Amino acid sequence: MSVSLAELIGNAHAFEDLEGFRSGIPILLREFVPADVVSYNEMDDDPLGSWWTTDPVLEVSPELVEVFRELAGENPVLAYMRRTRDGRPWRISDFLTRAEYHRLPLYREFYGKIEAEYQCAFSLPSRPPVVIGLALTRARNDFTDREVGGLASARPHLIQAYRNAELAAAREATIAALEANLEQVGTAVIVVDHYGRVDLATPAGRRLLAGPLGGESKQRLDPKVIAALAARREAGTSATEPLLVDSADGPLSLRVLRGPEGGSEMLVIEPDVSGLTVPALEGLGLTRRQAETLRWLALGRRGPDIARVMGLSPRTVEKHLHGAYAKLGVSGASEAAATVWAAVGVRLPS
C-alpha cells in the first residue's frame, strides 16, 4: 500500500461535495491499494439508471457500456450485496472459481475485454435498489487478504466522508431552495443562531417550533434543544450523527449543519430513525449482540442504561461495544455513533 490508512481518510474527508467525492475516491483508492482500474459505480435495477466513473479513465465504446448495464447483475459481489446489504469488501474469487467466472456472459462480453481478471469491491450505504459500489480490478493477480482487510478498515471512514459530502450538497440545495421560494420547501428546516433564536424556518419547521422544538415565544428553540446544540458544539460532534429530540409522535432526528465560526446553524429535521435497525448494523459486519448494543449507543444511551435495557451486565455491554469498535475501525463511543449514523441514517433530501 503506497499511502497509509490515515492519509486515505484525511484526503477522503477533504472533498467538499458529492461530485468531488465521486471523481476523487477512485484516485485515492488506487494509491491505497494498487489496482489497474478503480471505479465508482451507482448500480440500479433499471440499467439506464446505472453509471460509473473510473481512474484511470476507461475508454469503452457506447455499445460496451450498454453491455455492462445489461449484464452487471451477473457480478456475484453485486448480487450478494443486493441480497444481503452486506457492503464489506469481497472478491469475485470469494464466490466463483476462475473457470466459473470466465463462463459468465458478463466476463465474455465485458470484463474480459477490459482485462478485469480479478476484482475486489465494497459498497457504501444507499437506498435500495441502488447500490453504490467501489470496485478495484487487476489483470494479473488477485487481491490479498491483507489488501481486503485494509479496504475493510477504510470503509467506515469512507462512509463518513461520503455522508459529509452528501450533507454539504443537501445543505447547498436546501439553501438555494430557501432563497428561491421559502413557501415551496416541504422539508422542515430551521436556521438558528448560537442562542437558539430563529433566523429562518420553512413552514414545516414553523409547525415544529409551535410544538416539540419551540420555546414559549416560538421565536427561540426549547431550552433543552439549545443546551443540546451547545454540548454538540463543545464536543465537536459530527454532522453525520443526528440530534434526537423526543416528541409526542416519537423521536425527531435533527441533522445539525454548522455555518462559519460564530455563525448560524441549520437544523434539517428527518422524519424518523427507522433506518437504524439491528439487521442494518449487522450488514456492517457486526454480530447481533454488537449491533443491538451499538444501536442503543447511537440512540443516546450509555453503558449502565444499555445494560438495563438489554438485561445484561455493564461488563458484557462493554465487551460487545469494544468488539464493535474494533470491527468498525473506530476508537470510542462518539466516533462509533457517528459511523453508525453515517452508514444507516435516513438520507437527506437532495
Side-chain angles (χ1 to χ4, degrees):
M1 297 181 183
S2 54
V3 301
S4 68
L5 177 61
E7 291 173 310
L8 171 65
I9 294 168
N11 291 332
H13 280 277
F15 296 117
E16 296 182 353
D17 54 41
L18 280 177
E19 289 307 309
F21 183 92
R22 288 165 172 158
S23 60
I25 279 295
I27 298 171
L28 297 182
L29 282 177
R30 277 190 78 211
E31 295 173 345
F32 182 59
V33 173
D36 296 335
V37 177
V38 177
S39 62
Y40 172 96
N41 309 270
E42 293 190 1
M43 308 302 299
D44 197 315
D45 283 348
D46 178 0
L48 295 178
S50 301
W51 67 277
W52 76 85
T53 182
T54 66
D55 179 64
V57 175
L58 197 60
E59 299 291 347
V60 295
S61 67
E63 292 77 16
L64 208 55
V65 170
E66 187 62 28
V67 167
F68 176 72
R69 284 175 171 169
E70 292 294 335
L71 299 178
E74 292 186 0
N75 185 309
V77 178
L78 175 61
Y80 174 78
M81 289 177 180
R82 279 179 168 163
R83 186 175 69 253
T84 65
R85 307 305 294 175
D86 180 353
R88 292 173 295 168
W90 296 93
R91 295 163 288 204
I92 285 181
S93 59
D94 292 325
F95 299 90
L96 300 176
T97 65
R98 289 198 70 195
E100 290 170 335
Y101 175 46
H102 286 175
R103 285 197 293 269
L104 292 178
L106 174 62
Y107 175 83
R108 296 198 307 269
E109 299 184 33
F110 183 76
Y111 282 146
K113 297 181 185 298
I114 63 170
E115 299 185 322
E117 290 293 327
Y118 303 95
Q119 184 184 87
C120 180
F122 62 94
S123 71
L124 306 179
S126 60
R127 283 184 177 176
V130 174
V131 174
I132 297 175
L134 288 151
L136 298 82
T137 62
R138 289 176 180 162
R140 299 188 181 279
N141 57 290
D142 205 353
F143 295 87
T144 66
D145 291 344
R146 180 173 177 269
E147 289 169 330
V148 174
L151 291 171
S153 297
R155 180 175 175 257
H157 304 284
L158 297 182
I159 290 171
Q160 286 186 330
Y162 174 83
R163 288 287 287 163
N164 287 340
E166 185 181 46
L167 286 166
R171 179 179 184 273
E172 293 304 316
T174 303
I175 289 174
L178 286 169
E179 292 176 345
N181 192 337
L182 183 65
E183 293 299 321
Q184 298 300 316
V185 179
T187 306
V189 177
I190 303 170
V191 179
V192 298
D193 65 14
H194 281 191
Y195 300 99
R197 294 176 297 207
V198 177
D199 293 330
L200 191 67
T202 63
R206 290 286 177 192
R207 288 192 290 272
L208 289 172
L209 285 169
L213 296 184
E216 292 182 3
S217 70
K218 308 300 185 292
Q219 294 301 316
R220 190 189 294 265
L221 293 175
D222 182 277
K224 291 182 180 178
V225 180
I226 295 173
L229 290 173
R232 288 173 65 92
R233 288 193 295 272
E234 180 69 23
T237 304
S238 169
T240 57
E241 181 178 347
L243 170 63
L244 299 181
V245 177
D246 289 332
S247 76
D249 297 322
L252 294 173
S253 175
L254 280 62
R255 296 288 182 178
V256 183
L257 308 180
R258 297 188 183 93
E261 187 67 27
S264 298
E265 291 177 312
M266 175 182 285
L267 311 180
V268 181
I269 295 86
E270 298 174 332
D272 56 37
V273 295
S274 60
L276 192 67
T277 65
V278 170
L281 297 187
E282 287 180 302
L284 298 177
L286 305 178
T287 67
R288 185 165 190 82
R289 279 302 198 188
Q290 289 170 346
E292 289 173 348
T293 53
L294 198 54
R295 179 178 184 275
W296 284 118
L297 181 81
L299 289 173
R301 304 289 183 102
R302 289 300 178 260
D305 199 15
I306 296 173
R308 185 171 61 257
V309 171
M310 295 183 63
L312 302 174
S313 70
R315 184 174 181 179
T316 300
V317 167
E318 286 301 311
K319 177 183 176 182
H320 290 317
L321 287 175
H322 284 297
Y325 298 164
K327 289 184 178 179
L328 294 179
V330 300
S331 58
S334 179
E335 192 178 352
T339 299
V340 164
W341 281 112
V344 300
V346 180
R347 287 165 62 102
L348 291 176
S350 60

